[in-house]
Amino acid sequence: LFDKKHMLMRRTFDVKSVDFDSLRIKGLFHNDVDIYLNGVHVARVVQAGRNAKSMTDFDITTAGLPALRKGANVLAAKATQHPRGAHVDIGLLGVKRPE
């Protein structure tokens, strides 16, 4: 969804288990982005109009693990559009330590 100032997106996904040691966001961001997991703000990426050329990977365990639910979940992002346009590619990674 686009409006004059923001690009809004969301994706639903199912999780069979929430038994993760950490949660990470992996993405390509050309804009400032706020990221939400099930309505909980879990991260803010500040790009200040820079043109990202590689994926960024960062931890959201503290805010993200309590927000993750077994079953249906929603990952959402709100990106601020810059005059050169907007681009966001985002993923959520659940990480378990090897036993």
Side-chain angles (χ1 to χ4, degrees), residues 30-34 44-49 78-82:
H30 291 182
N31 311 79
D32 298 346
V33 180
D34 285 295
R44 176 158 179 76
V45 178
V46 178
Q47 288 296 89
K78 178 182 178 184
T80 302
Q81 294 218 55
H82 292 284

Side-chain angles (χ1 to χ4, degrees), residues 14-90:
D14 288 323
V15 174
K16 292 180 183 176
S17 170
V18 295
D19 186 26
F20 296 108
D21 296 310
S22 65
L23 283 181
R24 301 190 65 78
I25 292 289
K26 185 169 186 172
L28 183 65
F29 308 99
H30 291 182
N31 311 79
D32 298 346
V33 180
D34 285 295
I35 302 168
Y36 300 85
L37 179 58
N38 294 322
V40 175
H41 188 259
V42 294
R44 176 158 179 76
V45 178
V46 178
Q47 288 296 89
R50 287 177 273 165
N51 192 10
K53 295 188 183 350
S54 62
M55 298 294 268
T56 301
D57 183 341
F58 56 91
D59 188 89
I60 63 160
T61 300
T62 301
L65 270 182
L68 188 66
R69 299 186 283 241
K70 186 175 179 179
N73 290 268
V74 177
L75 183 65
K78 178 182 178 184
T80 302
Q81 294 218 55
H82 292 284
R84 292 189 305 257
H87 179 87
V88 175
D89 185 2
I90 187 173

